[in-house]
Amino acid sequence: MTVTTTYHRAGIYGLAGAALLASLSTAAAQESSPTLDAVRERGELACGVIGSSFGFSLPDSQGVMQGMDADSCRAVAAAVLGDANAVRWVPLVPSQRLTALQTGEVDLLFAQLTWTMSRETDSGVQMTSVNYFDGTGFLVPTALGVSSAMELDGANVCSIQGPGEVTARDFFSSNGMEFTPVLFAEGQELRAAFLAGRCDVYMIDQSALISFRASLGENSANYVVLPEIISDEPLSGAVRKGDPVWYDIARYAHIAMVNAEALGITSENVDSFDDSASPAIRRFLGLDGTLGQALGLEPNWAHDIVAQVGNYGEMWERSFGQSGADRGANRLARDGGQQYPYPMR
């Protein structure tokens, strides 16, 4: 009798809980997003990027913005507007990034922004998801004759003003070495100074160093990326705090790309899954379920991301495949990386 009564009560609580969850889900779907409304009204997404960074955001010879951050912006535009190209690019130097987001100049930020505690707690912004796991490294001329960062005592080090200064000081002081910082507000000026010999070392995220070296063509042999990575730099998108629906959209646009890769869905084959019997794939593509409604989006929002931008692996390959960079931590979790396909159900 005791077992039966306990089971019966669990059933009652289960029904009540289901009703409550359904009510909360409906309320969430009906919650407005001022950012989403503004983006839809103007018909384009204002996305802040660096705009001069190899592998992340850099116009090609036709003037089309290319790279990991650019495609992350396109994914959100595809989800909310059905058009990945409905993006207005707002190039920003590192010191402008947070201000541009805070003041509403941009709706979304993908600008090689490291997810740090102080940025989330002090700046009125919220990090969405890590689109690239990175770390600070060093690029030096081959002629300098060093093979390790531990040989850089007394070096002149070119870096971007801001958090990188702290990283450099921490590394050199903890290893009993001296260095002279040579600071710049933006990357183009820094790279020109490094190539002109104004400093011995170019210090920034290792992905940027590898891509920059690869862009030098025949001259790439004159430079070497040192093996040490001296910090963890999870690079993330960011939105303003106080708009939870927009935060969810930006976050799940990335999660959708990771899920697509895990499910084997690419920009080339996405339309071949219309008759799929897989519940996970049918939910993902909006053929079943209400995932789009929960975000205030069309049922096929994730389909549009993959069809127009691709899955995470495709995005990574376009951005870094030719640079010689190891995908490393940016592999799917099942392949030993940290890109985890959080369940979409």
Side-chain angles (χ1 to χ4, degrees), residues 129-266:
S129 53
V130 178
N131 71 337
Y132 198 101
F133 289 95
D134 211 342
T136 301
F138 302 97
L139 179 73
V140 300
T142 306
L144 196 63
V146 303
S147 58
S148 168
M150 300 305 296
E151 301 173 58
L152 296 178
D153 190 18
N156 296 323
V157 179
C158 280
S159 65
I160 296 291
Q161 295 171 347
E165 299 175 59
V166 177
T167 301
R169 287 198 302 269
D170 288 351
F171 171 75
F172 281 91
S173 64
S174 64
N175 287 287
M177 297 189 294
E178 301 290 335
F179 80 108
T180 300
V182 184
L183 303 175
F184 298 87
E186 53 88 24
Q188 284 183 313
E189 185 182 6
L190 186 159
R191 289 187 287 273
F194 174 68
L195 292 176
R198 286 183 55 190
C199 50
D200 306 305
V201 182
Y202 176 11
M203 188 193 85
I204 202 168
D205 295 340
Q206 193 177 71
S207 61
L209 297 177
I210 292 172
S211 294
F212 172 60
R213 181 179 179 274
S215 75
L216 298 177
E218 294 181 357
N219 290 326
S220 63
N222 296 328
Y223 300 91
V224 60
V225 177
L226 299 181
E228 290 86 358
I229 294 178
I230 65 169
S231 71
D232 295 315
E233 305 292 332
L235 306 182
S236 174
V239 297
R240 288 180 294 279
K241 284 185 177 179
D243 193 340
V245 174
W246 185 246
Y247 166 73
D248 284 344
I249 290 170
R251 183 163 52 118
Y252 275 96
H254 172 79
I255 291 172
M257 299 181 83
V258 177
N259 267 272
E261 183 178 8
L263 291 168
I265 304 174
T266 71

Side-chain angles (χ1 to χ4, degrees), residues 64 159 267:
V64 179
S159 65
S267 58

Side-chain angles (χ1 to χ4, degrees), residues 48-84:
V49 295
I50 295 297
S52 61
S53 182
F54 302 96
F56 288 97
S57 56
L58 181 71
D60 62 16
S61 60
Q62 305 301 312
V64 179
M65 194 69 73
Q66 302 290 353
M68 177 75 73
D69 284 346
D71 280 347
S72 295
C73 296
R74 289 190 177 97
V76 176
V80 303
L81 298 171
D83 182 359

Side-chain angles (χ1 to χ4, degrees), residues 3 87 107:
V3 173
V87 181
D107 308 304

